[in-house]
Each structure stands twice: as C-alpha cells, then as structure tokens.
Amino acid sequence: MSKNDSISMSVIRRLPRYYRFLCELDEQHVSRISSTKLASIMNVTASQVRQDLNCFGGFGQQGYGYSVNQLKLEIQKILGLDNHYQAILIGAGNFGTAIAKHLDFEKLGFSLIGCFEIDENKIGEKLGELTIADEAGLEEFCRENHVDAAFMCIPKQNVENVLARLYRIGVRTYWNFSHYDISAKYRDAVVENVHLSDNLMTLCYRMANIEK
Amino acid sequence: MSKNDSISMSVIRRLPRYYRFLCELDEQHVSRISSTKLASIMNVTASQVRQDLNCFGGFGQQGYGYSVNQLKLEIQKILGLDNHYQAILIGAGNFGTAIAKHLDFEKLGFSLIGCFEIDENKIGEKLGELTIADEAGLEEFCRENHVDAAFMCIPKQNVENVLARLYRIGVRTYWNFSHYDISAKYRDAVVENVHLSDNLMTLCYRMANIEK
DNA sequence: TAGATTGTTAATCGATTAACAATC
DNA sequence: TAGATTGTTAATCGATTAACAATC
C-alpha cells in the first residue's frame, strides 16, 4: 500500500534493525524520537533514516519527529511480522534445535508446526511443543497441513533429496542454513541463506587485514 | 600485498562465496575456468568476477581463464584462512554447541581453544575436544593463553558483563550472535554480527510482498 | 595466425548524503 | 511566532556493468 513500488533490498535489509531499536526504545518508554537521534543511536545518517522510512510513507511529523510506538508498529506491518506463516523445520540436529529453542517465531511472522529428521534415534523425541517426526512422512504432513516455508537445517549432501520433495509438493520458500545452492536449482524459489562460515571468513579477513 | 589499498566491503563479502565455488570445482577436478563460466555458475556477471579478482592481482591468463586450484589458494590466502587465530566460545548453549560441532574452524582461520559457561550444570562437560569451563575463570585463561577472538553465543542480557571483561583483558574481536550492540559500546572493536532473526524477518517481508 | 579471454578503462546505474523548502 | 524537524529534491559518491584493447 501507500508508496511501495518495489523497495530496494538495501532498504529492506535495514528494516529489521530499525525494528529492533524501536522495540527497545518502546520498552524504555521513549515515546518520540527524531531522525537525528535515532540515527545517532544506530550509527547511521539522519538522511538515511528519513529516506528509508519515506519509502513507505510519511510516518513522522515536522518539528516533532516520529512516534516510537507508531513507527514500530508500522515497520512491523511492513515486514509482515503479524503473519503466522506455517513453517517446518528440516533437521533436528544442533542447529535446528538451537533455532527452534531460541527464536520466537511467533514474533517473526512464523509458526513452527512440524519438525522432521532422518536420524531414527531422534524421531519421537520432543522439541519444545513439537514431536520430531520421521522425514519419510514429509509429503503426508504437507498434504494435511498448509506449509508456507521450510527451515533447512541439514547438511548439504542431504538437501537435494528433501528439497526436491518439498518443491514438488509446493513448498517453495526456504530459510537455508546449508551450503546447497537452492536458487541455482529452483529459480523461482524464495530463499534466504545463512552462511555462517562465510561470515566467519569475513571476520578472519578483517583480522588478517587490520583496518585503519 | 600486490594491489590491495583498502578493498571495499562489498568485494570482501563476496570472497567467501567465490572460495566455496572454487573449492567445489577443485573437488570436481575442474582445472580451469573462465570468468564467464564461473559467473554463470554463481549467477553474477562476468564483469563482476573479473573486477573483484583484479582487486587483488591478475590471477588469470588472457585467452585461457583462471586456474581453479591456484585461484582457490589465492583467495584462501587473501581471506587469511591459513591463520589459526585463537578463539574462545562464550556460551555452550544450543547455539554455541551447534557452532562448535558443525564448523570446521581450522579451515576458516581459527582454532577453538576454550569454552566458557555460567550454567553450573554444563561446566565440566565435554564439547568435542574441549571441556566446558566456568566463566569465572575467563580472565585467568586469557592471561595464560593468547586469545584473538571471542564467539559470543550468550543471550543479550549476559553480554554486557562478559564483554567488558573480555575487552579489558584485550580480546577485542568478536563474532556476535547476540543482539547486544557491541560496536556502539566499543568503537574500536572488530565485530561480525549474525542476526538470525533479522534474516528471518527479511524472509517474512519477501513472503508478504511476493516479488514479481 | 585466429580465437578466446583477461585486465582495465569508461559508462551506467543505484545508493547515500546534503540541502532546504514545507510545515507542525 | 520562532524553533524544530520532516519530506523530498538535488548532488555526490560508490558499485556494477559494458566495452574493448592487450595478450595468451
């Protein structure tokens, strides 16, 4: 709605960060903030704050600034965090478990409704509210439940098989922790990759090339 | 060395991805590749590949392309992956454990030499080769061992305390999984953040705004 | 030599910052 | 009204892409 018209990815990827800072300010009962102050807290320019927010509409008020709570809610709506996209976890290893236990999916736009494993020893165990299910039952589950997204927490070599099955049955949005290149195989898939080792290599580079 | 002169972060952050693809090609015994082919595999432009690589020197050969193995080794060297930066893990919860078990630090420029926890139930347990130690012994450990970096895998509210202690004793490079804003507090710290929930929110946005 | 492909310069595109008129 | 601060346009900066001469 409002101004939209395909916002650039640079802006989108900054939104969660705005959201985090606004949530904090809100918790601290700060009711209004200027772009200058917000920018200084976030260590960006005030221009950028105003430009970014204005992609979606005029949330501020001249001479006053922005209402923290209102702006927070606006960004929440823009990000779609009020959704409950039904997601399943593929792989209940250390990573899958960590994610399931530590992220509050309901506040991030998702509901975790299933969890699948190949390791027989884990099948049947509890993971929070969920019972870890046999990956063999994946298709059946997806037929009986509407599944919007899959969180891929399995090693690269196991991705190809499950991915093909998920794609075939219509699950085409993935949060991918593996190094399997999902987008290369399925051009129309919506994929967000988390490449931890890439991130660590960047840290290594920076250590090896101590910045000015 | 060679051409350096402060390479832009956009280029740096692409290096790990080049590295991954080159490692794969190398494993598949592909010995040479042109910028055009590499670009098509990686779904980027050939121009970008050549520009990026040329930031560091002329690794290719006109009319021939690039030697996969040589290029891989060059990038490895540029990223500093041959280092063994001594790192400690702060927090042996689900995340810390997942990271410690799944990442091959030695191939990423690091050696994990210690692991600290506050939870008494976990202290003394094994985590791979390491024994989980009492966080109280952090300073002593850092005095006895050279520590280059800390992997922060503890909840936000616990970061402030440990961080101050780490900083005081001279550990100023952090791989940060928490939402604590390390750079705001310590401007000279070298920090790489992994904000999983930010990433998931971005996925949510994309689902809520299904792209063209 | 002819063909291929790099290294590199120049052109384009997009993102960030600065400036300021509008307005609360 | 005067002061503050936005929304928005224009200027700058940086990153990406295109083009092509150099050269293997």
Side-chain angles (χ1 to χ4, degrees):
Chain A
M1 44 212 85
S2 61
K3 292 203 176 184
N4 210 306
D5 246 324
S6 164
I7 312 296
S8 85
M9 260 299 152
S10 324
V11 176
I12 305 302
R13 294 198 182 279
R14 282 195 290 267
L15 290 181
R17 189 153 182 272
Y18 286 117
Y19 185 68
R20 273 194 284 122
F21 280 87
L22 288 163
C23 285
E24 266 187 39
L25 288 165
D26 200 31
E27 272 167 32
Q28 291 157 22
H29 308 294
V30 176
S31 63
R32 61 156 114 166
I33 195 157
S34 68
S35 57
T36 310
K37 273 209 212 107
L38 184 56
S40 116
I41 296 172
M42 295 183 61
N43 199 31
V44 296
T45 66
S47 267
Q48 182 161 80
V49 171
R50 293 204 296 278
Q51 282 279 29
D52 283 355
L53 299 180
N54 259 83
C55 292
F56 304 97
F59 302 137
Q61 197 175 321
Q62 276 110 325
Y64 176 96
Y66 299 86
S67 150
V68 169
N69 185 262
Q70 187 212 316
L71 189 54
K72 170 192 138 177
L73 292 174
E74 289 288 358
I75 297 184
Q76 193 171 309
K77 207 171 76 186
I78 293 164
L79 284 168
L81 304 185
D82 303 320
N83 283 296
H84 301 280
Y85 290 122
Q86 304 216 73
I88 54 175
L89 180 64
I90 308 295
N94 291 296
F95 263 118
T97 308
I99 287 157
K101 287 198 180 161
H102 288 289
L103 294 184
D104 190 349
F105 295 115
E106 295 293 341
K107 287 190 179 154
L108 300 166
F110 294 86
S111 294
L112 191 62
I113 61 163
C115 169
F116 297 87
E117 249 293 334
I118 18 168
D119 183 349
E120 291 186 2
N121 298 314
K122 285 181 195 150
I123 297 167
E125 276 181 22
K126 281 279 175 188
L127 178 52
E129 311 269 270
L130 298 172
T131 304
I132 300 174
D134 189 336
E135 198 188 277
L138 191 59
E139 281 82 355
E140 197 188 336
F141 184 91
C142 292
R143 256 181 259 112
E144 288 171 3
N145 300 271
H146 178 72
V147 175
D148 296 296
F151 302 160
M152 308 296 283
C153 297
I154 52 178
K156 188 178 177 182
Q157 63 269 23
N158 299 343
V159 172
E160 180 136 35
N161 168 47
V162 192
L163 180 62
R165 291 160 60 198
L166 285 166
Y167 188 87
R168 196 174 325 118
I169 210 156
V171 180
R172 292 175 188 187
T173 300
Y174 311 97
W175 195 28
N176 179 34
F177 284 75
S178 83
H179 278 159
Y180 188 94
D181 191 348
I182 298 181
S183 299
K185 179 104 180 191
Y186 302 107
R187 288 293 157 126
D188 66 332
V190 176
V191 186
E192 278 292 318
N193 292 300
V194 177
H195 291 324
L196 295 178
S197 55
D198 286 19
N199 196 257
L200 193 54
M201 286 190 239
T202 307
L203 185 64
C204 183
Y205 173 90
R206 293 176 57 193
M207 295 173 78
N209 298 267
I210 320 98
E211 36 244 63
K212 72 236 137 223
Chain B
M1 45 213 84
S2 59
K3 292 204 178 184
N4 209 307
D5 246 321
S6 163
I7 310 298
S8 85
M9 260 299 154
S10 324
V11 176
I12 304 302
R13 293 196 185 280
R14 282 196 291 267
L15 289 181
R17 189 154 182 270
Y18 287 117
Y19 184 67
R20 273 194 284 120
F21 280 87
L22 288 163
C23 284
E24 266 187 39
L25 288 165
D26 200 30
E27 271 166 33
Q28 291 158 18
H29 308 292
V30 177
S31 63
R32 61 156 114 165
I33 194 157
S34 68
S35 56
T36 311
K37 272 208 213 107
L38 184 56
S40 115
I41 295 172
M42 295 182 60
N43 198 31
V44 295
T45 65
S47 267
Q48 182 162 82
V49 171
R50 293 204 295 277
Q51 283 278 30
D52 283 354
L53 299 180
N54 260 82
C55 292
F56 304 98
F59 302 138
Q61 198 176 319
Q62 276 110 327
Y64 176 95
Y66 299 85
S67 149
V68 170
N69 185 263
Q70 188 213 316
L71 188 54
K72 170 193 140 179
L73 293 173
E74 290 287 358
I75 296 185
Q76 194 171 309
K77 208 170 77 187
I78 293 164
L79 284 168
L81 305 184
D82 302 321
N83 283 295
H84 302 279
Y85 291 121
Q86 305 214 73
I88 55 175
L89 181 64
I90 308 294
N94 293 114
F95 264 117
T97 308
I99 286 157
K101 286 199 180 159
H102 287 289
L103 294 183
D104 190 348
F105 295 114
E106 295 293 340
K107 288 192 179 153
L108 300 165
F110 294 86
S111 294
L112 192 63
I113 61 162
C115 169
F116 297 88
E117 249 293 333
I118 17 168
D119 183 349
E120 291 185 2
N121 298 316
K122 284 182 195 148
I123 297 167
E125 275 181 21
K126 281 281 175 188
L127 177 52
E129 312 268 272
L130 299 172
T131 304
I132 300 174
D134 189 336
E135 198 187 276
L138 191 58
E139 280 83 355
E140 197 189 335
F141 184 90
C142 291
R143 257 181 258 113
E144 287 171 5
N145 299 272
H146 178 72
V147 175
D148 296 296
F151 302 160
M152 308 297 283
C153 298
I154 53 179
K156 188 178 177 181
Q157 62 269 23
N158 299 342
V159 172
E160 181 136 36
N161 168 47
V162 192
L163 180 62
R165 291 159 61 197
L166 285 166
Y167 188 87
R168 197 175 323 117
I169 208 157
V171 180
R172 292 174 187 188
T173 299
Y174 312 98
W175 195 29
N176 180 35
F177 284 75
S178 84
H179 278 159
Y180 188 93
D181 192 347
I182 298 181
S183 299
K185 179 105 181 191
Y186 302 107
R187 288 295 157 126
D188 66 331
V190 176
V191 186
E192 277 292 317
N193 292 301
V194 177
H195 291 325
L196 296 178
S197 55
D198 286 19
N199 197 257
L200 193 54
M201 286 190 237
T202 306
L203 185 64
C204 183
Y205 174 90
R206 293 176 59 193
M207 293 173 78
N209 299 267
I210 319 99
E211 36 244 63
K212 71 235 139 221

